[in-house]
Amino acid sequence: MEQLLSTWNALEPRRRLIAVVAAVGVFAGILMLARIATTPGMALLYAGLEGSQAGEVIQALDQRGLRYEVRGDAIYVDATQRDETRMALAAQGLPANSSTGYEILDGLTGFGTTAQMFDAAYWRAKEGELARTIMASPYIRFARVHISQGATQPFRRDQNASASVTVTTTGGAMTPQQGQALRYLVASAVAGLAPEHVAVIDSNGGMVLGEDDSPTARTNDRAEQMRHNVERMLEARVGSGRAVVEVNIETVTDRETITERLVDPTTRAAVSQESEQRNATSTETPGAGVTVASNLPDGNAAAGDGRSESRDQTTRERTDWEVSQTSRQVERGPGAIRRLTVAVLVDGVRSTDANGVVQWTPRPEEELVALRELVASAVGFDEQRGDVITLRSLQFEPVAETLGTPGVTSWLAGLDIMSLIRLAALALVVLFVALFVLRPILKGGGGGGAAAAPAEDDDLMAGFAPMIAMAPGLSGEIDGDFSAGDETGEGADPVERMRALIAERQDETLEILRNWMEEPEENR
């Protein structure tokens, strides 16, 4: 403390002012750094909201008295209150969904609404409900659905509907699998709408799935799936990153209809069979002549009736035979595999010899044959179709290792860049003030203090000189000790040497002080 006071007294007034200002600046910078470090960061609350939605959210935050920041189309709040704020706003129905659902039908009246108006309102409500369902996913920030139903024509047999879905994701581009899910969602909600007639468009990545869904796209997806399966199977044996697989599929792109009729002359089949049976019965009675005897009571007029009877029975059966024949109609669409080619490249075996040198050798032929059989089973190899599988073992070039890990990247991504920039700038200011303002001042003051140190030592020795002179024996020793310290360069502080000498010669020191106190004041 004494040295600090002596250094402060040795400074000039201008240097004292600069030192005070610099000390205050450094203190203020440290306080600001501590405040920034203890102040919670700002976290994203909502982003990509429409103007009306963002205004409602900001109004709710003002009513709750929460601190927030608006950066473009994003709203930030304190990180410690973000989750609680989201739940509170969700309880109030914020942010409100801009898509209008079936509630649009509540405003229709039965008197002033025509059939066309009701149909238009119904399809608007259907589109709004589908958009709400799609935006319920945490990966989708905004969605719009358009359904093209066309004019209703009662005498038209085929009325094909189509739809389009435009989405904005919260992260990367939408995958084809997610697009297929949206397809089936929309197609299931609209009667008569086929999934292939739904187009899915990502506002960030472009077209995900088109309405036509060409066979080429399906072929590429099938080839990619095969390649992934084969590569995963091979890596289980040769190691990760040591197998490269390429699959090429040639598909049938034409649509054909085959009508086939087979006639077998050696066999016949009964087409129809008809049976007919007829029975006929006839009775004939001839007429008798009129005579005298027939008129007498005892005559022979009724002796015989002369009646004859005949019966006729006919049976007829007819069977129609026809040669056996078979009719078949086959319709083949595009997409069937015409030819499959697979190219597989695997790395060899690496080993270290006695000298520590890494040696590379190709894989044995038996292992390559086994791997080829596995690949053939995985892709559905058909030799009659003309499929080809090429498997080779060649040396891979070493791949340079990439710096950084996904964990560090994700941790850096979660930091607030603006807060880090402000902290770094403030730290640089404090460091600049400490190095280029305080350090030169203290260094200059230290030089003045060092120059003044001998003077202070001389004053100290001058004050002790009368007392030392009263003890001649001790005076010589003290002078010898001080001169020895000066010659050897040790004991730079005379006060410390004086204290050490007093501790060693306590009796002589008390005698000197007693004599000095008993001496008359005028002699002192």
Side-chain angles (χ1 to χ4, degrees):
M1 189 66 184
E2 295 177 357
Q3 185 177 2
L4 181 62
L5 292 176
S6 61
T7 303
W8 174 260
N9 294 329
L11 293 177
E12 299 177 356
R14 182 175 61 84
R15 290 178 175 266
R16 292 181 182 180
L17 180 61
I18 295 176
V20 170
V21 173
V24 172
V26 172
F27 183 72
I30 294 174
L31 289 181
M32 191 173 297
L33 282 174
R35 181 178 179 183
I36 293 176
T38 56
T39 301
M42 305 299 288
L44 178 64
L45 180 64
Y46 294 112
L49 299 178
E50 296 183 357
S52 58
Q53 298 174 342
E56 294 176 355
V57 171
I58 290 176
Q59 185 177 2
L61 294 177
D62 291 334
Q63 293 176 357
R64 297 175 61 87
L66 298 176
R67 176 173 169 264
Y68 63 89
E69 293 181 6
V70 179
R71 305 173 187 174
D73 60 346
I75 302 176
Y76 289 81
V77 296
D78 290 343
T80 57
Q81 299 179 351
R82 182 190 63 179
D83 298 336
E84 181 181 356
T85 304
R86 283 183 177 176
M87 294 181 182
L89 294 178
Q92 301 178 6
L94 298 176
N97 198 332
S98 59
S99 300
T100 306
Y102 285 123
E103 62 270 12
I104 195 175
L105 301 179
D106 298 337
L108 299 179
T109 59
F111 295 99
T113 304
T114 62
Q116 290 79 6
M117 294 174 59
F118 180 81
D119 290 342
Y122 173 77
W123 289 115
R124 284 182 57 195
K126 178 74 73 173
E127 294 171 354
E129 290 293 333
L130 288 174
R132 285 180 176 179
T133 305
I134 294 173
M135 283 190 292
S137 173
Y139 303 103
I140 297 178
R141 185 174 63 185
F142 184 73
R144 289 291 299 272
V145 180
H146 301 279
I147 301 175
S148 176
Q149 195 68 15
T152 303
Q153 298 179 5
F155 298 103
R156 186 177 178 180
R157 177 176 300 178
D158 298 331
Q159 295 183 4
N160 296 327
S162 61
S164 63
V165 181
T166 304
V167 296
T168 302
T169 58
T170 56
M174 177 175 288
T175 61
Q177 290 77 13
Q178 295 174 343
Q180 286 288 355
L182 295 183
R183 265 189 167 182
Y184 284 101
L185 172 65
V186 176
S188 302
V190 180
L193 179 60
E196 58 269 13
H197 293 162
V198 179
V200 181
I201 302 171
D202 187 358
S203 58
N204 296 325
M207 179 70 70
V208 180
L209 293 175
E211 183 179 355
D212 55 352
D213 194 11
S214 61
T216 304
R218 294 195 297 268
T219 302
N220 294 336
D221 295 340
R222 188 186 308 178
E224 181 64 23
Q225 184 66 28
M226 287 185 180
R227 187 196 66 80
H228 175 72
N229 294 338
V230 174
E231 195 170 30
R232 182 183 59 182
M233 179 182 61
L234 292 177
E235 286 181 350
R237 169 62 182 171
V238 301
S240 178
R242 303 182 65 184
V244 179
V245 181
E246 291 295 336
V247 179
N248 183 23
I249 300 178
E250 296 181 8
T251 58
V252 178
T253 58
D254 300 333
R255 184 183 298 272
E256 59 180 352
T257 302
I258 301 175
T259 303
E260 185 179 5
R261 182 178 180 182
L262 300 177
V263 179
D264 189 1
T266 60
T267 59
R268 63 177 183 171
V271 178
S272 62
Q273 185 175 3
E274 182 180 356
S275 299
E276 182 181 357
Q277 185 176 2
R278 181 180 298 176
N279 295 326
T281 304
S282 62
T283 304
E284 182 179 358
T285 304
V290 180
T291 61
V292 176
S294 63
N295 291 326
L296 294 176
D298 296 333
N300 57 354
D305 52 3
R307 184 175 55 183
S308 63
E309 182 177 355
S310 63
R311 294 181 179 180
D312 186 13
Q313 183 178 1
T314 305
T315 301
R316 185 172 60 182
E317 183 177 352
R318 186 178 65 181
T319 303
D320 295 335
W321 299 86
E322 188 173 349
V323 178
S324 177
Q325 61 179 0
T326 303
S327 298
R328 185 177 61 174
Q329 183 175 358
V330 180
E331 183 177 355
R332 295 179 179 177
I337 297 178
R338 178 180 297 169
R339 187 169 179 265
L340 177 66
T341 57
V342 181
V344 180
L345 179 62
V346 295
D347 196 6
V349 179
R350 299 178 185 272
S351 60
T352 305
D353 56 8
N355 298 327
V357 180
V358 178
Q359 299 292 335
W360 181 92
T361 57
R363 295 188 176 273
E365 188 64 26
E366 295 79 6
E367 184 178 358
L368 295 179
V369 171
L371 294 178
R372 187 181 184 280
E373 292 178 356
L374 291 175
V375 174
S377 301
V379 300
F381 177 76
D382 188 359
E383 187 175 0
Q384 297 179 356
R385 194 172 53 191
D387 297 349
V388 178
I389 296 179
T390 304
L391 180 62
R392 296 288 184 271
S393 177
L394 300 176
Q395 185 176 1
F396 281 19
E397 293 294 333
V399 181
E401 297 182 357
T402 58
L403 298 178
T405 59
V408 176
T409 304
S410 59
W411 177 75
L412 291 176
L415 297 178
D416 190 357
I417 302 301
M418 296 304 297
S419 299
L420 292 178
I421 293 176
R422 288 196 295 268
L423 278 173
L426 190 57
L428 289 176
V429 171
V430 173
L431 185 62
F432 177 81
V433 172
L435 292 179
F436 297 98
V437 178
L438 288 181
R439 187 170 180 272
I441 292 176
L442 294 178
K443 186 176 181 181
E456 294 178 357
D457 296 342
D458 295 342
D459 295 339
L460 181 63
M461 294 302 298
F464 280 99
M467 294 185 293
I468 297 174
M470 298 177 65
L474 184 62
S475 175
E477 296 182 3
I478 292 177
D479 293 340
D481 292 339
F482 273 87
S483 60
D486 295 339
E487 294 175 357
T488 58
E490 299 177 357
D493 190 0
V495 177
E496 293 296 333
R497 294 199 301 273
M498 180 65 72
R499 288 177 180 175
L501 186 60
I502 292 174
E504 294 177 359
R505 303 292 184 91
Q506 294 182 1
D507 296 338
E508 289 84 348
T509 303
L510 291 176
E511 184 67 24
I512 293 172
L513 291 176
R514 186 181 298 111
N515 295 332
W516 179 73
M517 293 174 64
E518 291 176 356
E519 185 182 1
E521 184 176 357
E522 57 273 8
N523 294 334
R524 298 180 193 172

